[in-house]
Amino acid sequence: MIMLVTSSAPHVDMPLNLFLPKTIQLPGSFVPSHITQPRHALPATGDMSRPNPIIAHATTPSTVTEPQEDPSGNAVMMVTSDTYDDLVLGAEKVIVYFTAPWCGPCKRISPTVQTLSQDFEGLSVYTYDITTGGGEKAKALGIRSLPWFMIYRNGELLHEFSTVRPADLQTEIEGLLF
């Protein structure tokens, strides 16, 4: 129970819930579905005591087993949960960029990611779209926000972070891999 100490009687504690309504919602305000829907209406994606909004949007893993070239024609390769271990853990210098089509900050940093393989010789750049690549792998890797980056050297995870600033991304790569 939350207690409220009033200024008129500094030594008297009163329960705060006497003054607050059970539900506060302004007209036209947004209430996330995990608050308004019963627990059984949520997707079964692990521990539902704290639903992860990033993973909740992800769909089932793709059946693609070969890496796909990025549709824009750049050297950035798309990877799925099926190809992640073989491609990412088998390369010397790797950065994996976790993204989603609905992610605004991802769209901001995407042009910088597209040029990384040209800027850094010998760097393998992979894009993992959590909506088509498989949300289970993203959850297993502990993706906490988007965009999310993981830097590997010879299959060993060196660093993981989130940023939308191109300078920060390039500084991390230079400091850890070059």
Side-chain angles (χ1 to χ4, degrees):
M1 177 187 306
I2 300 173
M3 303 301 283
L4 172 70
V5 179
T6 61
S7 60
S8 61
H11 301 293
V12 177
D13 293 335
M14 299 177 67
L16 182 60
N17 60 357
L18 291 176
F19 301 104
L20 297 176
K22 295 278 185 193
T23 304
I24 300 173
Q25 183 175 359
L26 301 174
S29 65
F30 171 74
V31 177
S33 62
H34 71 277
I35 294 173
T36 59
Q37 293 180 353
R39 218 174 254 270
H40 65 275
L42 294 171
T45 56
D47 178 29
M48 296 314 297
S49 62
R50 293 186 302 148
N52 186 335
I54 302 297
I55 306 302
H57 290 285
T59 60
T60 58
S62 173
T63 58
V64 177
T65 57
E66 294 296 319
Q68 300 175 359
E69 187 172 332
D70 190 34
S72 63
N74 291 323
V76 175
M77 300 295 286
M78 298 182 83
V79 66
T80 65
S81 60
D82 298 332
T83 60
Y84 188 89
D85 291 337
D86 294 334
L87 295 173
V88 172
L89 302 180
E92 184 181 350
K93 298 176 183 177
V94 177
I95 184 163
V96 183
Y97 164 55
F98 292 86
T99 185
W102 45 261
C103 173
C106 298
K107 292 176 186 175
R108 181 177 172 200
I109 193 79
S110 185
T112 302
V113 173
Q114 299 300 326
T115 62
L116 287 177
S117 62
Q118 298 165 1
D119 296 343
F120 298 99
E121 187 176 330
L123 178 65
S124 299
V125 182
Y126 293 106
T127 297
Y128 189 102
D129 184 341
I130 66 165
T131 60
T132 59
E136 290 79 22
K137 184 69 171 180
K139 183 178 179 182
L141 291 169
I143 306 305
R144 295 181 287 278
S145 64
L146 292 178
W148 192 259
F149 297 92
M150 292 181 138
I151 298 177
Y152 291 87
R153 179 184 290 145
N154 297 324
E156 179 185 345
L157 177 64
L158 298 178
H159 187 54
E160 53 186 298
F161 60 98
S162 180
T163 187
V164 294
R165 297 184 58 219
D168 290 347
L169 179 59
Q170 292 178 347
T171 301
E172 292 288 342
I173 294 170
E174 288 171 356
L176 291 169
L177 295 177
F178 295 95

